[in-house]
Amino acid sequence: MPDSTPPPAPQQERPVYVIGGGPGGLSVAAALRARGVRAVVLEKSDRVGASWRTHYDRLHLHTTRRLSALPGLAIPRAFGRWVSRDNVLRYLEKYADFHQLEIVTGVEVSRLERTADGKGWLLHATGGRELTGSAVVIATGYNHTPHLPSWPGRDTYAGELLHASTYRNPRPYEGKDVLVVGVGNTGAEIAVDLIDGGAARVRLAVRTAPHIVRRTTAGWPAQRSAILCRRLPVRLVDRLAGPIAKISVPDLTARGLPRPDSGLYSRVREGAIPVQDVGLIDAVRRGRVGPVAAVESFEDGKVVLADGTRIGPDVVIAATGYRRALEPLLGDLGVLDEKGAPLVQGAHTPESAPGLYFTGFTNPISGMLRELARDAEKIAKAVARTQDAAR
């Protein structure tokens, strides 16, 4: 397990600092090291893969093992086609060891600024540290800070309300009436996990009907189709996806989950990734999970839905997403858009902030780990080229 004692690594006056010890940060560090560039990973927790350690127990990758490996190390075949959360963590730990990555744990970077000579970056970190790097890669992740909507009445609601980031397994909810808010992949899977695990009743609050796809069809993984789709026009993918969905996914309108009224790839371009079915279709069809209208507010101990219905679940679990939370670190550099997302990604670096790179801040239909691996190689190539030119 990596710690604050670095192994031998390529030496240079100013290393490249990689902020974040998850899959994105580790893959960039490995790709840089392979090109002879010293990379130091700064991780605020005490271990790599911190965010993966907080995911729910049931979680498996929705992407295949072969298409989820990071640069330079395959995921073991023994982990199966759909790798479990625990095995993802084992892989990340092995990855750091295998590539002899230089990782410093327990260090959180609070602010970045250009160095006085304008040739690098000054990182302000835990304990008053000031670190100087030739370049910086931000890899703190798409799922960084849990987002809980500011529903009216939320702060005075006396019932049990939690974000999905704190959900682990269904045991605490056996025999309870649970409302899951949000029908992305996380909300859908938690709803199924709850009803399989003994919850008395599970309802799923849906604001916009999702596109649901089978994880595999006749052995062909949805991920491979998604990779192909990225090269096709949006309208063409929308037209092709409609008939396929009607064949592969039953109409659940009578059960409260209608077919979406917009195209699959059009929704992806807006940031809505299709839900991969891991039991939701069957659970809704059999009435085990009941879709309801979106949550509007909390009032008098009840949850008020968009259709005016008032319900009184024992527990509300909000699968309402995350925020990137980059503003405190980068807010004054002009490198974020109005939603707080980086203006550039991968090998590109902002004109106003040369040597600053980002990875892992999109949610690609083709698979997060696959795209992190591709970004890592591109970033490493760009950094190495820049450093060679500066010599």
Side-chain angles (χ1 to χ4, degrees), residues 207-292:
R207 184 169 298 279
T208 304
H211 285 274
I212 304 175
V213 298
R214 299 287 187 180
R215 190 161 65 172
T216 59
T217 302
W220 177 265
Q223 183 187 9
R224 289 198 177 275
S225 297
I227 292 170
L228 295 175
C229 286
R230 296 193 74 184
R231 300 179 179 274
L232 298 175
V234 173
R235 290 183 180 179
L236 176 59
V237 176
D238 285 349
R239 286 200 298 268
L240 293 173
I244 293 173
K246 289 182 179 180
I247 294 171
S248 61
V249 178
D251 187 355
L252 300 171
T253 302
R255 290 292 187 178
L257 194 61
R259 296 189 186 278
D261 56 9
S262 56
L264 183 149
Y265 203 27
S266 294
R267 290 281 298 279
V268 169
R269 296 294 290 270
E270 296 170 358
I273 299 299
V275 173
Q276 288 207 16
D277 180 47
V278 291
L280 181 66
I281 292 173
D282 184 64
V284 171
R285 182 169 50 188
R286 294 169 57 190
R288 301 176 71 226
V289 170
V292 297

Side-chain angles (χ1 to χ4, degrees), residues 132-150:
T132 304
S134 59
V136 175
V137 182
I138 310 296
T140 50
Y142 187 83
N143 295 337
H144 185 272
T145 301
H147 169 64
L148 195 62
S150 55

Side-chain angles (χ1 to χ4, degrees), residues 362-379:
T362 60
N363 191 14
I365 191 174
S366 51
M368 177 67 81
L369 293 179
R370 176 181 183 271
E371 297 308 319
L372 288 175
R374 291 163 63 86
D375 268 358
E377 299 286 8
K378 294 174 184 177
I379 291 171

Side-chain angles (χ1 to χ4, degrees), residues 203 298-300 302-305 307-313:
R203 285 172 284 195
F298 293 83
E299 187 176 322
D300 297 329
K302 300 290 185 180
V303 181
V304 182
L305 304 181
D307 61 3
T309 304
R310 292 169 176 256
I311 60 175

Side-chain angles (χ1 to χ4, degrees), residues 17-169:
Y17 282 106
V18 180
I19 304 176
L26 298 180
S27 60
V28 168
L32 286 167
R33 184 178 173 86
R35 291 179 176 272
V37 178
R38 184 186 175 205
V40 178
V41 178
L42 303 177
E43 168 55 47
K44 70 177 182 179
S45 74
D46 61 351
R47 293 179 291 180
V48 300
S51 64
W52 280 90
R53 299 179 191 279
T54 64
H55 290 321
Y56 48 93
D57 298 346
R58 179 191 180 105
L59 179 65
H60 285 67
L61 292 181
H62 291 163
T63 54
T64 67
R65 171 182 54 80
R66 293 185 64 182
L67 293 176
S68 301
L70 303 179
L73 184 67
I75 299 176
R77 289 176 59 89
F79 288 177
R81 193 179 198 189
W82 311 106
V83 183
S84 70
R85 181 204 65 179
D86 289 348
N87 280 334
V88 169
L89 287 169
R90 292 187 181 97
Y91 172 69
L92 294 179
E93 291 168 353
K94 175 64 177 178
Y95 190 85
D97 286 339
F98 180 82
H99 288 291
Q100 296 185 310
L101 300 183
E102 189 173 347
I103 301 173
V104 184
T105 58
V107 174
E108 182 173 8
V109 180
S110 58
R111 185 165 57 90
L112 293 181
E113 62 180 281
R114 296 294 289 174
T115 53
D117 62 10
K119 296 181 180 179
W121 289 94
L122 180 64
L123 293 74
H124 298 269
T126 305
R129 292 179 176 88
E130 292 188 349
L131 308 170
T132 304
S134 59
V136 175
V137 182
I138 310 296
T140 50
Y142 187 83
N143 295 337
H144 185 272
T145 301
H147 169 64
L148 195 62
S150 55
W151 291 298
R154 187 197 76 182
D155 294 339
T156 58
Y157 178 62
E160 185 177 355
L161 170 64
L162 62 144
H163 189 270
S165 60
T166 64
Y167 176 86
R168 296 293 174 270
N169 58 65

